Amino acid sequence: MNILVIGSGGREHALVWKLAQSAHTRRLICAPGNAGIARERLANGTPVTCVPVAAEDLPALLDLARRELPDLTVVGPDNPLAAGIVDRFQSHGLVIWGPNQQAAQFEASKAFSQAFMERHGIPTARSGTFDEPDAAKQFARSLGGRCAVKADGLALGKGVLLTDDQATAERAVDDVMVGGAFGAAGRRVVIQELLEGMEISLHALCDGKVARLFPASQDHKRALDGDAGLNTGGMGAYSPAPFLTEPELAAVGDAILRPWLRGCAAEGIDFRGLLYPGVMLTSTGPRVLEFNARFGDPEAQVYLTRLENDLVKLLMASCAGTLADVPLRWSPCASVCVVMASGGYPGTYAKGRPITGLGAAGALPDTKVFHAGTCERGGGVETSGGRVLGVTAWRPTIEAAREAAYACVDKICFEGAHVRRDIAAKALLG
Ligand code: AMP
Ligand code: GLY
């Protein structure tokens, strides 16, 4: 098959790496890709082709697809999904994996998701949705100022302010609704009660009727060790996350996915793609903080290094509505991904720093350096974004996978590189 992958991050490198292993893949194109994706090869030796078309440029992506006629297009990031790329490609007879625009609202609008959860009895935080700052502040007061103030729309994975007291909550409401801290996405806000507990990522592959739950994973969203510093896109992840036994995970999955599937059926929402609920395990049970409508990044890097199924077949089954016939198979190995970021990320950072040591790192067994913000220059690789690399290792235990990932990180150098040193440490506390 001829496959087109859309996106340029670590998640898309992991998708390309896994799709390239499938015997069904004859040709793989990535728009726009990155330096690591451009170096991938298929099992038959054919190199992956990167084309410089941005993931948000829907007309140019459609032109590309009408020229290349992929048998399958795989969408990595949220923006093209929210903009309706799936509907557009389908109207031209193209097979494309990802939720359509209506279904992508689970991520594109927090107000939509929150109302859906409340309508269908999905466990979530107490919340209110507001178009007007005074009403938002009043609701914050009813929560004692302990809130998560969330812009309704997409805000590059940021868009959430956590507050501990009323004065901070009121400032947060003003920053988001009046000051435009997250742009137009923040004209409407969802305010949730501040929940406490262990946060995990769930993923379920869906085909419009069936949702197949993955093992649990955990991201590390803050920039600095000990979950200090600013929120980022994710500084590292691991799977499995040992906070739930298998029966507990199945029960949490059921508590969320059964009412979610019933609600989708009742409302005519045809979700074919990846549902990624962010979940807080609180003392009174699991609560969904938000839904995403795509693979997490860096969760994809740890899931796709554990997945034993042929990814082409899985994604085709998700598109075709035939997932009920395809059980997921997972390696018993644990996988740990450590992100190497540019110094200063998620604030301002330098680009164009040469990266060394990729050869030695790439020679290590059961280890993969996924590229995110990288580009080729003069035969070498240099930094071009905030999250630069996702160094991933898989081993029989989390402890061994973690050691192997850090041993690989220590072979790679670029000026200003920033790495959290405590990825997966929570899993070892026992
Ligand atoms: P979100 O974009 O909704 O995932 O929010 C970003 C981060 O803020 C989450 O990963 C959580 O760590 C935190 N967060 C979001 N909502 C809540 C909440 N209701 N209570 C506590 N923390 C939250
Ligand atoms: N792991 C965070 C995200 O993908 O949004």
PDB file of all heavy atoms in Angstrom, residues 43-75:
ATOM      1  N   ALA A  43      10.649  -2.017   5.092  1.00  0.00           N
ATOM      2  CA  ALA A  43      11.243  -3.352   5.167  1.00  0.00           C
ATOM      3  C   ALA A  43      11.841  -3.747   3.809  1.00  0.00           C
ATOM      4  O   ALA A  43      12.840  -4.459   3.745  1.00  0.00           O
ATOM      5  CB  ALA A  43      10.179  -4.358   5.608  1.00  0.00           C
ATOM      6  N   ASN A  44      11.275  -3.243   2.709  1.00  0.00           N
ATOM      7  CA  ASN A  44      11.797  -3.582   1.378  1.00  0.00           C
ATOM      8  C   ASN A  44      12.939  -2.659   0.942  1.00  0.00           C
ATOM      9  O   ASN A  44      13.368  -2.701  -0.219  1.00  0.00           O
ATOM     10  CB  ASN A  44      10.660  -3.578   0.342  1.00  0.00           C
ATOM     11  CG  ASN A  44      10.087  -2.177   0.130  1.00  0.00           C
ATOM     12  OD1 ASN A  44      10.665  -1.182   0.565  1.00  0.00           O
ATOM     13  ND2 ASN A  44       8.941  -2.095  -0.534  1.00  0.00           N
ATOM     14  N   GLY A  45      13.436  -1.818   1.846  1.00  0.00           N
ATOM     15  CA  GLY A  45      14.594  -0.973   1.542  1.00  0.00           C
ATOM     16  C   GLY A  45      14.248   0.393   0.961  1.00  0.00           C
ATOM     17  O   GLY A  45      15.106   1.270   0.869  1.00  0.00           O
ATOM     18  N   THR A  46      13.000   0.598   0.575  1.00  0.00           N
ATOM     19  CA  THR A  46      12.604   1.885  -0.019  1.00  0.00           C
ATOM     20  C   THR A  46      12.680   2.995   1.034  1.00  0.00           C
ATOM     21  O   THR A  46      12.150   2.833   2.129  1.00  0.00           O
ATOM     22  CB  THR A  46      11.140   1.806  -0.516  1.00  0.00           C
ATOM     23  OG1 THR A  46      10.998   0.625  -1.282  1.00  0.00           O
ATOM     24  CG2 THR A  46      10.747   3.025  -1.314  1.00  0.00           C
ATOM     25  N   PRO A  47      13.328   4.122   0.711  1.00  0.00           N
ATOM     26  CA  PRO A  47      13.355   5.212   1.701  1.00  0.00           C
ATOM     27  C   PRO A  47      11.989   5.889   1.844  1.00  0.00           C
ATOM     28  O   PRO A  47      11.199   5.909   0.894  1.00  0.00           O
ATOM     29  CB  PRO A  47      14.384   6.196   1.136  1.00  0.00           C
ATOM     30  CG  PRO A  47      14.761   5.719  -0.212  1.00  0.00           C
ATOM     31  CD  PRO A  47      14.095   4.410  -0.498  1.00  0.00           C
ATOM     32  N   VAL A  48      11.730   6.436   3.028  1.00  0.00           N
ATOM     33  CA  VAL A  48      10.525   7.251   3.255  1.00  0.00           C
ATOM     34  C   VAL A  48      10.778   8.619   2.618  1.00  0.00           C
ATOM     35  O   VAL A  48      11.883   9.156   2.697  1.00  0.00           O
ATOM     36  CB  VAL A  48      10.262   7.388   4.775  1.00  0.00           C
ATOM     37  CG1 VAL A  48       9.162   8.389   5.069  1.00  0.00           C
ATOM     38  CG2 VAL A  48       9.940   6.022   5.368  1.00  0.00           C
ATOM     39  N   THR A  49       9.755   9.170   1.972  1.00  0.00           N
ATOM     40  CA  THR A  49       9.899  10.478   1.316  1.00  0.00           C
ATOM     41  C   THR A  49       9.210  11.544   2.156  1.00  0.00           C
ATOM     42  O   THR A  49       8.037  11.389   2.506  1.00  0.00           O
ATOM     43  CB  THR A  49       9.180  10.453  -0.065  1.00  0.00           C
ATOM     44  OG1 THR A  49       9.648   9.316  -0.782  1.00  0.00           O
ATOM     45  CG2 THR A  49       9.452  11.717  -0.854  1.00  0.00           C
ATOM     46  N   CYS A  50       9.924  12.624   2.485  1.00  0.00           N
ATOM     47  CA  CYS A  50       9.290  13.764   3.162  1.00  0.00           C
ATOM     48  C   CYS A  50       9.009  14.848   2.125  1.00  0.00           C
ATOM     49  O   CYS A  50       9.857  15.156   1.294  1.00  0.00           O
ATOM     50  CB  CYS A  50      10.208  14.324   4.240  1.00  0.00           C
ATOM     51  SG  CYS A  50      10.334  13.248   5.674  1.00  0.00           S
ATOM     52  N   VAL A  51       7.799  15.411   2.178  1.00  0.00           N
ATOM     53  CA  VAL A  51       7.470  16.516   1.266  1.00  0.00           C
ATOM     54  C   VAL A  51       7.120  17.747   2.104  1.00  0.00           C
ATOM     55  O   VAL A  51       6.437  17.635   3.120  1.00  0.00           O
ATOM     56  CB  VAL A  51       6.291  16.170   0.319  1.00  0.00           C
ATOM     57  CG1 VAL A  51       6.718  15.189  -0.749  1.00  0.00           C
ATOM     58  CG2 VAL A  51       5.119  15.623   1.087  1.00  0.00           C
ATOM     59  N   PRO A  52       7.625  18.916   1.695  1.00  0.00           N
ATOM     60  CA  PRO A  52       7.476  20.113   2.528  1.00  0.00           C
ATOM     61  C   PRO A  52       6.088  20.745   2.423  1.00  0.00           C
ATOM     62  O   PRO A  52       5.936  21.842   1.916  1.00  0.00           O
ATOM     63  CB  PRO A  52       8.568  21.047   1.981  1.00  0.00           C
ATOM     64  CG  PRO A  52       8.751  20.629   0.563  1.00  0.00           C
ATOM     65  CD  PRO A  52       8.428  19.157   0.490  1.00  0.00           C
ATOM     66  N   VAL A  53       5.072  20.028   2.914  1.00  0.00           N
ATOM     67  CA  VAL A  53       3.709  20.576   2.972  1.00  0.00           C
ATOM     68  C   VAL A  53       3.305  20.570   4.443  1.00  0.00           C
ATOM     69  O   VAL A  53       3.378  19.526   5.100  1.00  0.00           O
ATOM     70  CB  VAL A  53       2.727  19.714   2.151  1.00  0.00           C
ATOM     71  CG1 VAL A  53       1.306  20.250   2.296  1.00  0.00           C
ATOM     72  CG2 VAL A  53       3.136  19.663   0.688  1.00  0.00           C
ATOM     73  N   ALA A  54       2.878  21.715   4.970  1.00  0.00           N
ATOM     74  CA  ALA A  54       2.575  21.822   6.400  1.00  0.00           C
ATOM     75  C   ALA A  54       1.313  21.040   6.756  1.00  0.00           C
ATOM     76  O   ALA A  54       0.383  20.929   5.952  1.00  0.00           O
ATOM     77  CB  ALA A  54       2.399  23.286   6.781  1.00  0.00           C
ATOM     78  N   ALA A  55       1.283  20.542   8.001  1.00  0.00           N
ATOM     79  CA  ALA A  55       0.155  19.715   8.476  1.00  0.00           C
ATOM     80  C   ALA A  55      -1.147  20.509   8.566  1.00  0.00           C
ATOM     81  O   ALA A  55      -2.218  19.917   8.652  1.00  0.00           O
ATOM     82  CB  ALA A  55       0.495  19.104   9.832  1.00  0.00           C
ATOM     83  N   GLU A  56      -1.055  21.851   8.563  1.00  0.00           N
ATOM     84  CA  GLU A  56      -2.278  22.665   8.656  1.00  0.00           C
ATOM     85  C   GLU A  56      -2.762  23.115   7.278  1.00  0.00           C
ATOM     86  O   GLU A  56      -3.833  23.716   7.172  1.00  0.00           O
ATOM     87  CB  GLU A  56      -2.033  23.928   9.498  1.00  0.00           C
ATOM     88  CG  GLU A  56      -1.892  23.681  10.984  1.00  0.00           C
ATOM     89  CD  GLU A  56      -0.511  23.175  11.348  1.00  0.00           C
ATOM     90  OE1 GLU A  56       0.461  23.529  10.632  1.00  0.00           O
ATOM     91  OE2 GLU A  56      -0.391  22.405  12.320  1.00  0.00           O
ATOM     92  N   ASP A  57      -1.975  22.883   6.239  1.00  0.00           N
ATOM     93  CA  ASP A  57      -2.308  23.411   4.913  1.00  0.00           C
ATOM     94  C   ASP A  57      -3.197  22.408   4.179  1.00  0.00           C
ATOM     95  O   ASP A  57      -2.751  21.639   3.326  1.00  0.00           O
ATOM     96  CB  ASP A  57      -1.019  23.696   4.135  1.00  0.00           C
ATOM     97  CG  ASP A  57      -1.283  24.460   2.848  1.00  0.00           C
ATOM     98  OD1 ASP A  57      -2.463  24.553   2.432  1.00  0.00           O
ATOM     99  OD2 ASP A  57      -0.312  24.955   2.252  1.00  0.00           O
ATOM    100  N   LEU A  58      -4.499  22.433   4.512  1.00  0.00           N
ATOM    101  CA  LEU A  58      -5.416  21.418   3.977  1.00  0.00           C
ATOM    102  C   LEU A  58      -5.505  21.413   2.447  1.00  0.00           C
ATOM    103  O   LEU A  58      -5.469  20.337   1.845  1.00  0.00           O
ATOM    104  CB  LEU A  58      -6.809  21.567   4.610  1.00  0.00           C
ATOM    105  CG  LEU A  58      -7.036  20.718   5.868  1.00  0.00           C
ATOM    106  CD1 LEU A  58      -5.971  20.861   6.904  1.00  0.00           C
ATOM    107  CD2 LEU A  58      -8.417  20.963   6.447  1.00  0.00           C
ATOM    108  N   PRO A  59      -5.605  22.579   1.786  1.00  0.00           N
ATOM    109  CA  PRO A  59      -5.673  22.533   0.317  1.00  0.00           C
ATOM    110  C   PRO A  59      -4.428  21.882  -0.296  1.00  0.00           C
ATOM    111  O   PRO A  59      -4.532  21.069  -1.214  1.00  0.00           O
ATOM    112  CB  PRO A  59      -5.780  24.011  -0.082  1.00  0.00           C
ATOM    113  CG  PRO A  59      -6.331  24.699   1.133  1.00  0.00           C
ATOM    114  CD  PRO A  59      -5.810  23.937   2.319  1.00  0.00           C
ATOM    115  N   ALA A  60      -3.242  22.219   0.238  1.00  0.00           N
ATOM    116  CA  ALA A  60      -2.001  21.654  -0.327  1.00  0.00           C
ATOM    117  C   ALA A  60      -1.899  20.158  -0.019  1.00  0.00           C
ATOM    118  O   ALA A  60      -1.403  19.373  -0.838  1.00  0.00           O
ATOM    119  CB  ALA A  60      -0.785  22.398   0.231  1.00  0.00           C
ATOM    120  N   LEU A  61      -2.402  19.734   1.149  1.00  0.00           N
ATOM    121  CA  LEU A  61      -2.382  18.299   1.482  1.00  0.00           C
ATOM    122  C   LEU A  61      -3.315  17.527   0.551  1.00  0.00           C
ATOM    123  O   LEU A  61      -2.993  16.425   0.098  1.00  0.00           O
ATOM    124  CB  LEU A  61      -2.785  18.081   2.948  1.00  0.00           C
ATOM    125  CG  LEU A  61      -1.763  18.551   3.979  1.00  0.00           C
ATOM    126  CD1 LEU A  61      -2.371  18.547   5.380  1.00  0.00           C
ATOM    127  CD2 LEU A  61      -0.509  17.674   3.946  1.00  0.00           C
ATOM    128  N   LEU A  62      -4.462  18.130   0.258  1.00  0.00           N
ATOM    129  CA  LEU A  62      -5.407  17.463  -0.645  1.00  0.00           C
ATOM    130  C   LEU A  62      -4.807  17.368  -2.053  1.00  0.00           C
ATOM    131  O   LEU A  62      -4.902  16.318  -2.709  1.00  0.00           O
ATOM    132  CB  LEU A  62      -6.739  18.224  -0.668  1.00  0.00           C
ATOM    133  CG  LEU A  62      -7.852  17.570  -1.477  1.00  0.00           C
ATOM    134  CD1 LEU A  62      -8.188  16.177  -0.951  1.00  0.00           C
ATOM    135  CD2 LEU A  62      -9.111  18.434  -1.448  1.00  0.00           C
ATOM    136  N   ASP A  63      -4.141  18.447  -2.504  1.00  0.00           N
ATOM    137  CA  ASP A  63      -3.456  18.393  -3.810  1.00  0.00           C
ATOM    138  C   ASP A  63      -2.439  17.264  -3.829  1.00  0.00           C
ATOM    139  O   ASP A  63      -2.359  16.491  -4.785  1.00  0.00           O
ATOM    140  CB  ASP A  63      -2.709  19.711  -4.084  1.00  0.00           C
ATOM    141  CG  ASP A  63      -3.657  20.805  -4.539  1.00  0.00           C
ATOM    142  OD1 ASP A  63      -4.827  20.474  -4.851  1.00  0.00           O
ATOM    143  OD2 ASP A  63      -3.235  21.970  -4.558  1.00  0.00           O
ATOM    144  N   LEU A  64      -1.663  17.182  -2.733  1.00  0.00           N
ATOM    145  CA  LEU A  64      -0.637  16.130  -2.637  1.00  0.00           C
ATOM    146  C   LEU A  64      -1.291  14.750  -2.725  1.00  0.00           C
ATOM    147  O   LEU A  64      -0.835  13.868  -3.462  1.00  0.00           O
ATOM    148  CB  LEU A  64       0.109  16.286  -1.297  1.00  0.00           C
ATOM    149  CG  LEU A  64       1.132  15.212  -0.951  1.00  0.00           C
ATOM    150  CD1 LEU A  64       2.332  15.293  -1.894  1.00  0.00           C
ATOM    151  CD2 LEU A  64       1.616  15.357   0.504  1.00  0.00           C
ATOM    152  N   ALA A  65      -2.375  14.573  -1.992  1.00  0.00           N
ATOM    153  CA  ALA A  65      -3.039  13.260  -1.970  1.00  0.00           C
ATOM    154  C   ALA A  65      -3.648  12.938  -3.336  1.00  0.00           C
ATOM    155  O   ALA A  65      -3.631  11.788  -3.777  1.00  0.00           O
ATOM    156  CB  ALA A  65      -4.114  13.244  -0.891  1.00  0.00           C
ATOM    157  N   ARG A  66      -4.153  13.962  -4.021  1.00  0.00           N
ATOM    158  CA  ARG A  66      -4.760  13.678  -5.336  1.00  0.00           C
ATOM    159  C   ARG A  66      -3.695  13.358  -6.373  1.00  0.00           C
ATOM    160  O   ARG A  66      -3.960  12.681  -7.358  1.00  0.00           O
ATOM    161  CB  ARG A  66      -5.642  14.849  -5.758  1.00  0.00           C
ATOM    162  CG  ARG A  66      -6.856  14.962  -4.812  1.00  0.00           C
ATOM    163  CD  ARG A  66      -7.750  16.098  -5.150  1.00  0.00           C
ATOM    164  NE  ARG A  66      -8.516  15.799  -6.344  1.00  0.00           N
ATOM    165  CZ  ARG A  66      -9.318  16.684  -6.940  1.00  0.00           C
ATOM    166  NH1 ARG A  66      -9.425  17.904  -6.439  1.00  0.00           N
ATOM    167  NH2 ARG A  66      -9.985  16.357  -8.012  1.00  0.00           N
ATOM    168  N   ARG A  67      -2.462  13.832  -6.119  1.00  0.00           N
ATOM    169  CA  ARG A  67      -1.338  13.477  -7.010  1.00  0.00           C
ATOM    170  C   ARG A  67      -0.804  12.087  -6.691  1.00  0.00           C
ATOM    171  O   ARG A  67      -0.559  11.271  -7.557  1.00  0.00           O
ATOM    172  CB  ARG A  67      -0.196  14.479  -6.799  1.00  0.00           C
ATOM    173  CG  ARG A  67      -0.152  15.613  -7.776  1.00  0.00           C
ATOM    174  CD  ARG A  67       1.204  16.339  -7.808  1.00  0.00           C
ATOM    175  NE  ARG A  67       1.900  16.486  -6.556  1.00  0.00           N
ATOM    176  CZ  ARG A  67       1.692  17.473  -5.674  1.00  0.00           C
ATOM    177  NH1 ARG A  67       0.774  18.382  -5.907  1.00  0.00           N
ATOM    178  NH2 ARG A  67       2.416  17.537  -4.568  1.00  0.00           N
ATOM    179  N   GLU A  68      -0.624  11.806  -5.390  1.00  0.00           N
ATOM    180  CA  GLU A  68       0.050  10.569  -4.974  1.00  0.00           C
ATOM    181  C   GLU A  68      -0.912   9.397  -4.812  1.00  0.00           C
ATOM    182  O   GLU A  68      -0.501   8.257  -4.733  1.00  0.00           O
ATOM    183  CB  GLU A  68       0.781  10.795  -3.637  1.00  0.00           C
ATOM    184  CG  GLU A  68       1.873  11.861  -3.685  1.00  0.00           C
ATOM    185  CD  GLU A  68       3.088  11.406  -4.488  1.00  0.00           C
ATOM    186  OE1 GLU A  68       3.215  10.192  -4.736  1.00  0.00           O
ATOM    187  OE2 GLU A  68       3.889  12.273  -4.875  1.00  0.00           O
ATOM    188  N   LEU A  69      -2.191   9.685  -4.678  1.00  0.00           N
ATOM    189  CA  LEU A  69      -3.240   8.671  -4.501  1.00  0.00           C
ATOM    190  C   LEU A  69      -2.893   7.621  -3.444  1.00  0.00           C
ATOM    191  O   LEU A  69      -2.816   6.416  -3.756  1.00  0.00           O
ATOM    192  CB  LEU A  69      -3.569   8.006  -5.842  1.00  0.00           C
ATOM    193  CG  LEU A  69      -4.160   8.970  -6.873  1.00  0.00           C
ATOM    194  CD1 LEU A  69      -4.378   8.266  -8.199  1.00  0.00           C
ATOM    195  CD2 LEU A  69      -5.480   9.570  -6.372  1.00  0.00           C
ATOM    196  N   PRO A  70      -2.653   8.045  -2.194  1.00  0.00           N
ATOM    197  CA  PRO A  70      -2.382   7.070  -1.143  1.00  0.00           C
ATOM    198  C   PRO A  70      -3.579   6.151  -0.925  1.00  0.00           C
ATOM    199  O   PRO A  70      -4.724   6.580  -1.072  1.00  0.00           O
ATOM    200  CB  PRO A  70      -2.133   7.933   0.100  1.00  0.00           C
ATOM    201  CG  PRO A  70      -2.796   9.238  -0.187  1.00  0.00           C
ATOM    202  CD  PRO A  70      -2.709   9.428  -1.673  1.00  0.00           C
ATOM    203  N   ASP A  71      -3.301   4.882  -0.569  1.00  0.00           N
ATOM    204  CA  ASP A  71      -4.389   3.957  -0.208  1.00  0.00           C
ATOM    205  C   ASP A  71      -4.872   4.246   1.205  1.00  0.00           C
ATOM    206  O   ASP A  71      -5.953   3.816   1.600  1.00  0.00           O
ATOM    207  CB  ASP A  71      -3.884   2.513  -0.293  1.00  0.00           C
ATOM    208  CG  ASP A  71      -3.339   2.209  -1.668  1.00  0.00           C
ATOM    209  OD1 ASP A  71      -4.141   2.184  -2.620  1.00  0.00           O
ATOM    210  OD2 ASP A  71      -2.102   2.056  -1.809  1.00  0.00           O
ATOM    211  N   LEU A  72      -4.013   4.918   1.988  1.00  0.00           N
ATOM    212  CA  LEU A  72      -4.356   5.269   3.369  1.00  0.00           C
ATOM    213  C   LEU A  72      -3.599   6.534   3.744  1.00  0.00           C
ATOM    214  O   LEU A  72      -2.388   6.619   3.508  1.00  0.00           O
ATOM    215  CB  LEU A  72      -3.950   4.116   4.310  1.00  0.00           C
ATOM    216  CG  LEU A  72      -4.048   4.394   5.817  1.00  0.00           C
ATOM    217  CD1 LEU A  72      -5.501   4.579   6.242  1.00  0.00           C
ATOM    218  CD2 LEU A  72      -3.412   3.255   6.625  1.00  0.00           C
ATOM    219  N   THR A  73      -4.309   7.496   4.339  1.00  0.00           N
ATOM    220  CA  THR A  73      -3.652   8.676   4.921  1.00  0.00           C
ATOM    221  C   THR A  73      -3.822   8.590   6.429  1.00  0.00           C
ATOM    222  O   THR A  73      -4.913   8.275   6.917  1.00  0.00           O
ATOM    223  CB  THR A  73      -4.275   9.978   4.378  1.00  0.00           C
ATOM    224  OG1 THR A  73      -4.039  10.026   2.958  1.00  0.00           O
ATOM    225  CG2 THR A  73      -3.665  11.211   5.028  1.00  0.00           C
ATOM    226  N   VAL A  74      -2.746   8.856   7.171  1.00  0.00           N
ATOM    227  CA  VAL A  74      -2.753   8.748   8.632  1.00  0.00           C
ATOM    228  C   VAL A  74      -2.478  10.142   9.196  1.00  0.00           C
ATOM    229  O   VAL A  74      -1.443  10.733   8.892  1.00  0.00           O
ATOM    230  CB  VAL A  74      -1.669   7.753   9.101  1.00  0.00           C
ATOM    231  CG1 VAL A  74      -1.603   7.690  10.618  1.00  0.00           C
ATOM    232  CG2 VAL A  74      -1.923   6.371   8.507  1.00  0.00           C
ATOM    233  N   VAL A  75      -3.404  10.659  10.013  1.00  0.00           N
ATOM    234  CA  VAL A  75      -3.256  12.021  10.535  1.00  0.00           C
ATOM    235  C   VAL A  75      -2.717  11.947  11.962  1.00  0.00           C
ATOM    236  O   VAL A  75      -3.337  11.329  12.828  1.00  0.00           O
ATOM    237  CB  VAL A  75      -4.604  12.775  10.530  1.00  0.00           C
ATOM    238  CG1 VAL A  75      -4.394  14.233  10.908  1.00  0.00           C
ATOM    239  CG2 VAL A  75      -5.276  12.664   9.170  1.00  0.00           C
TER     240      VAL A  75
END
